[in-house]
Structure formats: C-alpha cells, structure tokens
Amino acid sequence: QVQLVESGGGLVQAGGSLRLSCAASGSIVSINGMGWYRQAPGKQRELVARFTSFGRTNYADSVKGRFTISRDNAKNTVYLQMNSLKPEDTAVYYCNAQLRRVGSVSLYDYWGQGTQVTVSS
C-alpha cells in the first residue's frame, strides 16, 4: 500500500517560519502531482501549493511570496517552506498525492494524516 507521512508542524509566532515535509512510500510507480492543502476550523479544505503533473507549481494567492514548495523526486518527498507566517495561516495542513501504484494504470488520490500549524499573534 501507499502512505503519506507528514512532519514539521507546530506553534510559531507571527512572522516566523516553519518547514513541512511529506514523504510518500509504498508500491508507487509514479507520482502525477503532489502538494499541500489546509483546513482551518469551520472552513473548507483549500489548496496551499502543489506540483502539477507537468511539474509546474500552483499557489494560493494568500501564500504567494511567503510559501515555497519544493521536492526531492528521488525520495518522493515534497516540502513546504512557510515564511512570514500570519495567524490566518493557522490550520491543519494535509499532504496530497495523485499517483500510480504497482499493478495498476489508474491514478489514485492519497492524503496524509494532517499536521497542525498554529500561528500566534
């Protein structure tokens, strides 16, 4: 099977930085897209940043210029460097990957367990 394991969340003061990591492991043939979403209390889950199937990056307008997504293809890992954090960035951050598994040509959607990011004012 496939697992996405996230790390790096925590509590930080406004203006601070955090770096999230997400490693995909298991019977993976290829990863089509991978990135980060977040969900604040009482709100819908929203895109933060992701790599598309063409290797391009998409960012939410609210994080452009502050957050940077990067990846290590050899490790099936994506990172999210979050700088100049604001209280409104407080949310549970989820890693997402669309990938192909061994023995199948279908694309599967996987989510990590989520990591809490709390930004105090």
Side-chain angles (χ1 to χ4, degrees), residues 9-95:
L11 172 65
V12 66
Q13 288 189 331
S17 299
L18 284 173
R19 188 187 192 219
L20 306 182
S21 299
C22 173
S25 63
S27 303
I28 299 169
V29 173
S30 61
I31 296 177
N32 209 47
M34 195 167 179
W36 295 92
Y37 290 73
R38 68 186 181 188
Q39 188 166 18
K43 295 188 177 180
Q44 289 188 331
R45 192 171 297 188
E46 63 176 2
L47 170 72
V48 178
R50 72 178 286 112
F51 285 101
T52 70
S53 57
F54 298 102
R56 296 177 181 173
T57 54
N58 290 333
Y59 288 92
D61 287 342
S62 60
V63 307
K64 284 180 181 177
R66 300 188 298 123
F67 292 9
T68 302
I69 189 170
S70 61
R71 62 185 175 181
D72 184 334
N73 289 334
K75 296 181 179 180
N76 287 337
T77 298
V78 292
Y79 306 95
L80 185 68
Q81 179 66 43
M82 304 185 294
N83 298 328
S84 302
L85 282 159
K86 303 176 181 180
E88 50 263 44
D89 294 318
T90 296
V92 178
Y93 284 69
Y94 295 93
C95 180

